[in-house]
């Protein structure tokens, strides 16, 4: 890194390179970043993550407002597994997309599209694997658009989400979603001994979700299919001293 005009109007040029970035022993690739300001009030940042089937680039300037381009040429979904804190495993597939970010930190304007290509993972608590076969999430000036977003279970039965999650500032959200499923496996078989509920469980559903994240209004018709076999295990209490006196 280098700093000029330190006492009057500091101009900074700094480079960072991490040859083998790992998070919780999962290799993510090579991280490179450059930060600099040609004028005292405007900073420019370019950063990239490449390798391990990842290719993500960001190019941004910041003064009083943000102006950034995020290019996700390829994101290896397995790279996200360490960030799920052990809640999701066996992650696979990829994603790609482009986003522009403008406005201010308190009121950002985000526009773009994220496309999933066979992105999958097992939700460990319920032993079920879900997959986004060929799906898009669109972010526009009104919020998040889900246009017939398909979530497939491990038997390729589908749950379809349609509607919007509207927000102006990414702090308050209003919901207008329909969630329909037919013969969808919501619970898988037992994967670990500490799994307290397991199936298989198959549902048909017609669900509407409105209101806000704080106070959602949910109208749900859900039918559990006859072929389901749900097991719940309650924790055993340790026998106390009183039980053993005699």
């Amino acid at each position: 890194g280098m700093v000029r005009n330190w006492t009057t109007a500091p101009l900074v040029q700094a480079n960072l390179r991490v040859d083998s970035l790992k998070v919780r022993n999962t290799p993510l690739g090579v991280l490179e970043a450059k930060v600099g300001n040609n004028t005292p009030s405007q900073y420019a940042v370019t950063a990239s993550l490449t390798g391990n089937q990842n290719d993500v680039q960001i190019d941004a300037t910041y003064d009083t407002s943000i102006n950034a381009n995020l290019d996700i040429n390829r994101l290896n979904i397995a790279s996200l597994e360490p960030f799920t804190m052990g809640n999701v495993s066996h992650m696979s597939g990829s994603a790609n997309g482009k986003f522009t970010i403008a406005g201010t930190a308190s009121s950002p304007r985000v526009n773009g599209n994220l496309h999933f290509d066979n992105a999958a993972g097992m939700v460990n608590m319920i032993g079920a694997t879900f997959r986004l076969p060929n799906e898009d999430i669109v972010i526009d000036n009104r919020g998040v658009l889900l246009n017939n977003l398909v979530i497939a279970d491990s038997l390729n039965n589908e749950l379809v989400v349609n509607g919007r999650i509207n927000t102006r500032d990414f702090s308050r959200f209003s919901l207008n979603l329909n969630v329909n499923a037919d013969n969808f496996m919501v619970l898988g078989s037992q994967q670990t001994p500490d799994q307290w509920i397991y199936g298989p469980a198959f549902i048909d559903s017609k669900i509407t979700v409105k209101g806000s994240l704080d106070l959602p209004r949910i109208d749900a018709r859900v039918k559990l299919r006859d072929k389901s076999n749900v097991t719940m295990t309650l924790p055993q209490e340790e026998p106390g001293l009183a039980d053993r006196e005699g």
Side-chain angles (χ1 to χ4, degrees), residues 209-239:
V209 185
K210 296 184 186 295
S212 65
L213 274 184
D214 299 328
L215 195 63
R217 297 195 313 275
I218 300 172
D219 179 19
R221 280 179 290 171
V222 179
K223 176 187 171 189
L224 186 67
R225 290 265 180 135
D226 289 343
K227 63 181 175 180
S228 302
N229 186 3
V230 179
T231 304
M232 290 177 67
T233 54
L234 300 175
Q236 297 289 315
E237 287 189 18
E238 292 292 323

Side-chain angles (χ1 to χ4, degrees), residues 26-182:
T26 300
L28 302 187
V30 178
L31 176 67
E32 292 187 88
K34 293 180 182 179
V35 180
N37 63 327
N38 293 322
T39 65
S41 60
Q42 186 182 72
Y43 285 84
V45 178
T46 58
S48 66
L49 178 67
T50 55
N52 285 93
Q53 300 176 45
N54 287 312
D55 181 2
V56 180
Q57 316 279 333
I58 189 162
D59 197 347
T61 59
Y62 180 76
D63 38 34
T64 54
S65 62
I66 304 164
N67 196 332
N69 291 302
L70 173 62
D71 286 334
I72 305 170
N73 299 313
R74 191 182 197 280
L75 178 65
N76 180 6
I77 297 295
S79 300
L80 302 179
E81 192 164 316
F83 300 100
T84 70
M85 301 303 188
N87 292 308
V88 185
S89 61
H90 305 296
M91 293 182 75
S92 61
S94 66
N96 61 78
K98 282 182 186 293
F99 292 93
T100 61
I101 304 155
T104 62
S106 59
S107 182
R109 294 194 311 276
V110 181
N111 285 273
N113 177 80
L114 187 62
H115 176 79
F116 294 95
D117 185 5
N118 275 324
M122 176 187 282
V123 181
N124 294 327
M125 192 175 84
I126 57 175
T129 296
F130 301 123
R131 182 170 55 87
L132 297 166
N134 183 23
E135 309 309 311
D136 288 281
I137 294 176
V138 176
I139 298 181
D140 57 26
N141 291 329
R142 290 167 53 204
V144 181
L145 170 65
L146 303 174
N147 184 14
N148 288 323
L149 181 90
V150 171
I151 301 171
D153 67 16
S154 57
L155 300 175
N156 290 323
N157 302 312
E158 294 183 351
L159 178 144
V160 181
V161 185
N162 213 10
R164 295 193 62 93
I165 303 168
N166 288 327
T167 181
R168 294 288 182 190
D169 55 8
F170 293 91
S171 64
R172 294 187 303 275
F173 297 86
S174 65
L175 308 170
N176 188 2
L177 296 170
N178 293 305
V179 182
N180 295 320
D182 184 36

